[in-house]
Amino acid sequence: MNDKISLADDLRPTRLGYGAMQLAGPNAFGPPRDRAEAVAVLRTAVDLGVTHIDTSDYYGPVVTNELIREALHPYPGDLHIVTKVGFRRGLEGSWDPAPENLREQVQANLSHLGLDVLDAANLRIAGPGSLAEVFGTMVDLQKEGLVKHLGLSNVTAEQVREARAIAPIVFVQNLYNVVHRDDDELIDALAADGIGFVPFFPLGGFSPLQSAVLDEVAASLGIGTQQVALAWLLQRSPNILPIPGTSSVAHLRENVAAADLTLPPEALARLNGL
């Protein structure tokens, strides 16, 4: 069952969400390959009970937010659309840090999504160093009522500590999956404080050997390899909220079904050994 997690009184997303990045063209740049299918994916996600959609105006750019609005507006009352700011796209699709105009980015996300306030916005950080100034800008936007809750993306444990000394956060969004586990300690620390950890690329980064192990575990259980990877994340810690992306309704259904799986101890042991 795709249970919900309480991150705040007004923020209870499903543990398994949906990441909208792949609805745009290749490398999240340009229009979708199949617009009708993209709209169907979003509507199916909501029909399946997903209440956490991750997006950003820099996917496309603008493409995914406009698709979300077309497919789902007016939004269900329990749907949480979480966006990201702090980067922009170059003319040929480059990913460029853009910490200098966060207010305009938040306002653009609101406009393209058809919202008056964002449930949550993750500030994507370009690299190591202090984030006090840029995070302070997000706090100001929160105080003005443009954003309800704040999160961070692509950050170190030290940056998380620095931000939390300034204002509360509800999400940390970093690279993490069954074979990339640099944030194990951070996840456990966040879990103790009731802060959600959203792993991006939850299904990515597997080498052939590691994929072979996943394939063997999946075959032994009679389920898909990617379902195994998602089920492992959901069992890793109760504060992990995967947001697997896809532009296929069939693949979406397979991903959401992973929320109903429980991996047996022997399967977990093999995966933990990767």
Side-chain angles (χ1 to χ4, degrees):
M1 181 177 180
N2 198 3
D3 295 328
K4 294 182 179 180
I5 179 174
S6 181
L7 301 175
D9 290 342
D10 58 350
L11 186 64
R12 297 187 68 248
T14 44
R15 294 252 349 255
L16 188 70
Y18 172 71
M21 183 175 72
Q22 293 188 31
L23 294 182
N27 194 35
F29 193 69
R33 286 179 282 263
D34 185 333
R35 190 176 188 89
E37 179 77 357
V39 169
V41 166
L42 288 162
R43 291 176 176 166
T44 302
V46 171
D47 288 344
L48 292 173
V50 169
T51 67
H52 175 196
I53 294 180
D54 176 86
T55 186
S56 176
D57 233 24
Y58 57 70
Y59 296 157
V62 182
V63 170
T64 61
N65 280 351
E66 290 186 339
L67 283 168
I68 290 169
R69 182 174 184 174
E70 176 184 341
L72 302 176
H73 195 277
Y75 303 113
D78 63 345
L79 179 63
H80 301 293
I81 299 175
V82 181
T83 190
K84 282 185 293 297
V85 295
F87 269 62
R88 61 171 172 256
R89 305 304 293 277
L91 293 177
E92 297 183 359
S94 60
W95 302 79
D96 303 328
E100 67 282 350
N101 64 337
L102 296 177
R103 176 180 297 277
E104 289 80 2
Q105 293 175 51
V106 166
Q107 291 171 332
N109 276 275
L110 287 168
S111 174
H112 295 135
L113 288 167
L115 292 169
D116 296 321
V117 58
L118 297 172
D119 276 355
N122 291 317
L123 172 63
R124 184 168 176 83
I125 300 299
S130 175
L131 49 64
E133 182 176 355
V134 288
F135 187 67
T137 299
M138 296 300 296
V139 174
D140 290 340
L141 296 172
Q142 182 184 41
K143 291 177 180 177
E144 292 175 27
L146 297 179
V147 182
K148 291 182 182 178
H149 302 286
L150 302 178
L152 301 170
S153 179
N154 196 44
V155 286
T156 65
E158 178 55 38
Q159 288 172 323
V160 171
R161 286 190 289 270
E162 182 183 24
R164 293 185 65 192
I166 299 170
I169 61 172
V170 294
F171 292 120
V172 171
Q173 186 180 81
N174 279 357
L175 172 62
Y176 186 84
N177 55 48
V178 70
V179 298
H180 291 100
R181 304 185 196 169
D182 291 347
D183 278 343
D184 272 333
E185 292 185 6
L186 176 60
I187 288 170
D188 295 338
L190 294 173
D193 290 335
I195 297 171
F197 184 90
V198 181
F200 62 74
F201 299 143
L203 302 175
F206 304 126
S207 73
L209 174 62
Q210 292 155 338
S211 292
V213 173
L214 283 171
D215 288 343
E216 291 168 8
V217 171
S220 71
L221 298 174
I223 58 178
T225 299
Q226 293 185 336
Q227 290 178 315
V228 171
L230 290 172
W232 180 87
L233 283 168
L234 291 168
Q235 286 178 244
R236 163 64 182 82
S237 178
N239 69 321
I240 290 183
L241 297 92
I243 48 167
T246 180
S247 57
S248 159
V249 169
H251 187 200
L252 170 72
R253 291 185 181 277
E254 293 175 0
N255 288 344
V256 174
D260 295 325
L261 301 174
T262 300
L263 301 177
E266 57 272 22
L268 287 174
R270 291 201 68 191
L271 295 170
N272 290 340
L274 283 175

